[in-house]
Amino acid sequence: MSNNITKLLRATFLIVIFFNVTTNASQLTPQQITKVLKESYEKFKDDNRGKNADYIKALAEVNSSIFAISIVSASGDIYEIGNTKEVVSIQSISKVFTLALVMSEKGPKFIQEKIGVNATGLPFNSIIAIEQHNGSASNPFVNAGAIQTTSWVKADNSAQRWKKIKNNMEKFAGEKLDLNAPVYKSEVNDNKRNQAIATLLEANGRMGSDPLKATTIYTKQCALNVSSHNLAIMASVLANHGVNPVTKKSVIDSNLTPKIMSIMQTAGLYDNAGEWLYETGLPAKSGVGGGILAVVPGKFGIGVISPRLDEYGNSVRAQEAISYIVKKLNLNPLAQ
Ligand code: GLN
């Protein structure tokens, strides 16, 4: 009899533990999210390690104290803190959305075969990486692969190609995005290295249209302004299987979002992507403007802006803030 009671108590205890673990992991309350958001902001707001990118001259002049964190749930709830309406140029984060466009038009196999889906382990503007990989860019998130992706957007001319790229990014954001004219001018007159990369890829038969024109459009897509609010909504479309949870509009086929996110895991933070994945498990993408977006699949889009970068070109405070939030809210998808 007493043996049976012990067994019953043991089973009840196990059920209670199991129940607690599952509710903690999957049902976060708005209070929990708001608390951790505030904590991460307070913890890192005075961290001034790193420095603005300066190889694009206009980026050196951006206010480096901007710090903003936004989280958008897959059902469209928004949690934010800091200068969440301040904008910076999107830079490399734009690569995710032009990839989404070309993947929609040409299919995932085309991306895999023509551009590649492997890490380079080298800096984002590496030329050696192309030479070492049979003349291929390796993936769409290094400059080579991104310029290539831009060149493959179906269009009759540059003006049409640009319009499609901008419209597509605006569908992800759910609002209009403005061009940062000073950043665009500063980079378009100073992008010989990217032009060289595009020309090399053309010589290898990998470009879909004129390499120099594609480089100019790529430079323009990098100069669109975004806030942390914009970035979090854009990321939430990927978290929500291709539907913008704020506008409720379908932006991309749900079959494609895992493909895009897998490349974000492999190459989203360039040659530091392994460290990032090890820390957070999250697909993410950074830009030298100071933004990072990260996706918690099925749950949240996160957008952070803070212009000071580490030696890889990734925002220092954005990485810290997202890592903190992931740990505190148990959001690492590989730990679920
Ligand atoms: N426009 C920048 C470049 O081509 C983007 C680089 C980045 O954000 N890593 O160099």
Short mmCIF file of all heavy atoms in Angstrom, two decimals, residues 55-56 59 90-93 95 124-125 141 143 147 187 191 194 218-219 222-223 270 285-289 312-313, ligand 1:
data_model
loop_
_atom_site.label_atom_id
_atom_site.label_comp_id
_atom_site.label_asym_id
_atom_site.label_seq_id
_atom_site.Cartn_x
_atom_site.Cartn_y
_atom_site.Cartn_z
N TYR A 55 35.21 52.26 -43.81
CA TYR A 55 35.65 52.06 -45.20
C TYR A 55 34.61 52.63 -46.17
O TYR A 55 34.91 52.92 -47.31
CB TYR A 55 35.97 50.59 -45.48
CG TYR A 55 34.76 49.70 -45.67
CD1 TYR A 55 34.31 49.38 -46.94
CD2 TYR A 55 34.06 49.20 -44.58
CE1 TYR A 55 33.19 48.58 -47.12
CE2 TYR A 55 32.96 48.41 -44.74
CZ TYR A 55 32.52 48.09 -46.01
OH TYR A 55 31.41 47.31 -46.18
N ILE A 56 33.35 52.79 -45.68
CA ILE A 56 32.36 53.60 -46.40
C ILE A 56 32.30 54.90 -45.59
O ILE A 56 31.87 54.88 -44.43
CB ILE A 56 30.98 52.91 -46.43
CG1 ILE A 56 31.08 51.55 -47.14
CG2 ILE A 56 29.94 53.80 -47.10
CD1 ILE A 56 29.85 50.66 -46.98
N LEU A 59 29.53 56.14 -43.23
CA LEU A 59 29.17 55.33 -42.05
C LEU A 59 29.93 55.76 -40.80
O LEU A 59 29.45 55.60 -39.68
CB LEU A 59 29.41 53.84 -42.31
CG LEU A 59 28.53 53.17 -43.36
CD1 LEU A 59 28.81 51.68 -43.43
CD2 LEU A 59 27.05 53.41 -43.08
N ILE A 90 20.76 49.68 -44.12
CA ILE A 90 20.58 48.25 -43.86
C ILE A 90 21.82 47.43 -44.19
O ILE A 90 22.09 46.41 -43.59
CB ILE A 90 19.34 47.72 -44.62
CG1 ILE A 90 19.00 46.29 -44.20
CG2 ILE A 90 19.52 47.81 -46.13
CD1 ILE A 90 17.63 45.80 -44.64
N GLN A 91 22.60 47.90 -45.19
CA GLN A 91 23.83 47.21 -45.64
C GLN A 91 23.58 45.73 -45.91
O GLN A 91 22.62 45.38 -46.54
CB GLN A 91 24.97 47.47 -44.65
CG GLN A 91 25.35 48.95 -44.57
CD GLN A 91 25.81 49.55 -45.90
OE1 GLN A 91 26.26 48.84 -46.78
NE2 GLN A 91 25.68 50.86 -46.07
N SER A 92 24.45 44.87 -45.38
CA SER A 92 24.39 43.45 -45.77
C SER A 92 23.11 42.72 -45.38
O SER A 92 22.86 41.63 -45.88
CB SER A 92 25.56 42.70 -45.14
OG SER A 92 26.67 42.80 -45.97
N ILE A 93 22.34 43.31 -44.47
CA ILE A 93 21.09 42.61 -44.09
C ILE A 93 20.16 42.54 -45.29
O ILE A 93 19.35 41.62 -45.42
CB ILE A 93 20.42 43.31 -42.88
CG1 ILE A 93 21.40 43.39 -41.71
CG2 ILE A 93 19.15 42.58 -42.47
CD1 ILE A 93 20.93 44.25 -40.55
N LYS A 95 20.85 41.57 -48.09
CA LYS A 95 21.17 40.37 -48.87
C LYS A 95 20.13 39.27 -48.64
O LYS A 95 19.85 38.47 -49.53
CB LYS A 95 22.57 39.85 -48.50
CG LYS A 95 23.70 40.81 -48.89
CD LYS A 95 25.05 40.44 -48.23
CE LYS A 95 26.19 41.37 -48.67
NZ LYS A 95 27.44 41.16 -47.94
N PHE A 124 33.82 39.20 -45.54
CA PHE A 124 32.69 39.30 -46.47
C PHE A 124 33.05 39.86 -47.84
O PHE A 124 32.31 39.68 -48.79
CB PHE A 124 31.55 40.14 -45.84
CG PHE A 124 31.91 41.56 -45.52
CD1 PHE A 124 31.92 42.54 -46.49
CD2 PHE A 124 32.24 41.93 -44.20
CE1 PHE A 124 32.23 43.85 -46.19
CE2 PHE A 124 32.55 43.24 -43.90
CZ PHE A 124 32.55 44.20 -44.89
N ASN A 125 34.20 40.55 -47.93
CA ASN A 125 34.56 41.11 -49.25
C ASN A 125 35.80 40.41 -49.82
O ASN A 125 36.54 40.98 -50.63
CB ASN A 125 34.77 42.62 -49.15
CG ASN A 125 35.85 42.96 -48.14
OD1 ASN A 125 36.42 42.08 -47.52
ND2 ASN A 125 36.12 44.25 -47.99
N PHE A 141 25.49 35.62 -48.96
CA PHE A 141 25.64 36.65 -47.93
C PHE A 141 27.02 37.29 -47.87
O PHE A 141 27.25 38.21 -47.10
CB PHE A 141 25.23 36.10 -46.56
CG PHE A 141 23.77 35.74 -46.48
CD1 PHE A 141 23.30 34.87 -45.52
CD2 PHE A 141 22.85 36.29 -47.37
CE1 PHE A 141 21.95 34.54 -45.45
CE2 PHE A 141 21.50 35.97 -47.32
CZ PHE A 141 21.05 35.09 -46.35
N ASN A 143 29.75 39.52 -50.14
CA ASN A 143 29.48 40.51 -51.19
C ASN A 143 29.37 39.86 -52.57
O ASN A 143 28.47 40.19 -53.35
CB ASN A 143 30.56 41.59 -51.21
CG ASN A 143 30.44 42.51 -50.01
OD1 ASN A 143 29.64 42.27 -49.11
ND2 ASN A 143 31.25 43.56 -49.98
N ILE A 147 26.03 40.30 -54.81
CA ILE A 147 25.99 41.05 -56.07
C ILE A 147 25.48 40.11 -57.17
O ILE A 147 24.67 40.49 -58.03
CB ILE A 147 27.38 41.63 -56.43
CG1 ILE A 147 27.85 42.58 -55.31
CG2 ILE A 147 27.34 42.38 -57.77
CD1 ILE A 147 29.31 42.99 -55.41
N GLU A 187 29.21 55.39 -51.01
CA GLU A 187 29.69 54.05 -51.39
C GLU A 187 29.74 53.85 -52.91
O GLU A 187 30.65 53.19 -53.42
CB GLU A 187 28.86 52.94 -50.73
CG GLU A 187 29.59 51.61 -50.85
CD GLU A 187 28.88 50.42 -50.23
OE1 GLU A 187 27.77 50.58 -49.71
OE2 GLU A 187 29.44 49.31 -50.30
N ASN A 191 33.28 52.05 -54.78
CA ASN A 191 33.06 50.60 -54.66
C ASN A 191 33.83 49.78 -55.71
O ASN A 191 33.34 48.80 -56.24
CB ASN A 191 31.56 50.26 -54.68
CG ASN A 191 30.89 50.65 -55.98
OD1 ASN A 191 31.54 51.21 -56.85
ND2 ASN A 191 29.62 50.36 -56.11
N ASN A 194 34.09 45.99 -54.94
CA ASN A 194 32.90 45.21 -55.30
C ASN A 194 32.76 45.09 -56.82
O ASN A 194 32.32 44.05 -57.33
CB ASN A 194 31.65 45.85 -54.69
CG ASN A 194 31.52 45.52 -53.21
OD1 ASN A 194 32.12 44.56 -52.72
ND2 ASN A 194 30.76 46.32 -52.48
N TYR A 218 23.13 46.78 -56.15
CA TYR A 218 23.45 46.16 -54.85
C TYR A 218 23.83 47.25 -53.84
O TYR A 218 23.39 47.24 -52.68
CB TYR A 218 24.60 45.15 -55.04
CG TYR A 218 25.36 44.85 -53.78
CD1 TYR A 218 24.84 43.98 -52.82
CD2 TYR A 218 26.59 45.47 -53.52
CE1 TYR A 218 25.53 43.73 -51.64
CE2 TYR A 218 27.27 45.22 -52.35
CZ TYR A 218 26.75 44.36 -51.42
OH TYR A 218 27.42 44.13 -50.25
N THR A 219 24.64 48.22 -54.28
CA THR A 219 25.07 49.30 -53.39
C THR A 219 23.85 50.11 -52.92
O THR A 219 23.77 50.53 -51.76
CB THR A 219 26.07 50.22 -54.12
OG1 THR A 219 27.11 49.40 -54.65
CG2 THR A 219 26.65 51.27 -53.21
N CYS A 222 21.80 48.29 -50.30
CA CYS A 222 22.50 48.36 -49.00
C CYS A 222 22.26 49.70 -48.32
O CYS A 222 22.48 49.83 -47.11
CB CYS A 222 24.01 48.18 -49.19
SG CYS A 222 24.49 46.49 -49.59
N ALA A 223 21.84 50.72 -49.09
CA ALA A 223 21.71 52.07 -48.53
C ALA A 223 20.27 52.41 -48.11
O ALA A 223 19.99 53.55 -47.76
CB ALA A 223 22.22 53.10 -49.55
N TYR A 270 29.17 36.23 -41.23
CA TYR A 270 30.45 36.09 -41.93
C TYR A 270 31.35 35.05 -41.27
O TYR A 270 30.89 34.00 -40.86
CB TYR A 270 31.18 37.44 -42.03
CG TYR A 270 30.28 38.55 -42.42
CD1 TYR A 270 29.99 39.59 -41.56
CD2 TYR A 270 29.68 38.54 -43.68
CE1 TYR A 270 29.13 40.61 -41.94
CE2 TYR A 270 28.82 39.55 -44.06
CZ TYR A 270 28.56 40.58 -43.18
OH TYR A 270 27.72 41.57 -43.55
N LYS A 285 21.43 37.84 -39.41
CA LYS A 285 22.21 38.53 -40.45
C LYS A 285 22.61 39.89 -39.92
O LYS A 285 21.80 40.61 -39.35
CB LYS A 285 21.36 38.67 -41.72
CG LYS A 285 22.12 39.28 -42.88
CD LYS A 285 23.09 38.30 -43.49
CE LYS A 285 24.21 38.97 -44.26
NZ LYS A 285 25.30 39.47 -43.36
N SER A 286 23.87 40.23 -40.16
CA SER A 286 24.37 41.54 -39.71
C SER A 286 24.66 42.43 -40.91
O SER A 286 24.76 41.95 -42.05
CB SER A 286 25.66 41.33 -38.93
OG SER A 286 26.65 40.83 -39.80
N GLY A 287 24.82 43.71 -40.62
CA GLY A 287 25.21 44.68 -41.66
C GLY A 287 26.19 45.68 -41.08
O GLY A 287 26.12 45.97 -39.87
N VAL A 288 27.08 46.23 -41.91
CA VAL A 288 28.07 47.16 -41.37
C VAL A 288 27.48 48.52 -40.97
O VAL A 288 28.18 49.36 -40.41
CB VAL A 288 29.29 47.37 -42.31
CG1 VAL A 288 30.15 46.12 -42.40
CG2 VAL A 288 28.87 47.86 -43.69
N GLY A 289 26.18 48.73 -41.24
CA GLY A 289 25.50 49.93 -40.75
C GLY A 289 25.27 49.83 -39.24
O GLY A 289 24.94 50.83 -38.59
N TYR A 312 34.98 41.65 -37.19
CA TYR A 312 34.36 40.92 -38.31
C TYR A 312 33.35 41.79 -39.07
O TYR A 312 32.83 41.38 -40.10
CB TYR A 312 33.63 39.68 -37.79
CG TYR A 312 34.51 38.72 -37.04
CD1 TYR A 312 34.51 38.70 -35.65
CD2 TYR A 312 35.37 37.86 -37.73
CE1 TYR A 312 35.33 37.83 -34.95
CE2 TYR A 312 36.19 36.99 -37.04
CZ TYR A 312 36.17 36.98 -35.66
OH TYR A 312 36.98 36.12 -34.97
N GLY A 313 33.01 42.97 -38.48
CA GLY A 313 32.01 43.82 -39.11
C GLY A 313 30.62 43.58 -38.53
O GLY A 313 29.61 43.95 -39.14
N1 GLN B 1 27.61 47.69 -48.79
C1 GLN B 1 28.57 47.01 -47.99
C2 GLN B 1 29.70 46.45 -48.85
O1 GLN B 1 29.45 46.04 -49.94
C3 GLN B 1 27.89 45.92 -47.21
C4 GLN B 1 28.84 45.09 -46.39
C5 GLN B 1 28.29 44.60 -45.08
O2 GLN B 1 27.31 45.07 -44.52
N2 GLN B 1 29.00 43.65 -44.53
O3 GLN B 1 30.83 46.44 -48.47
#
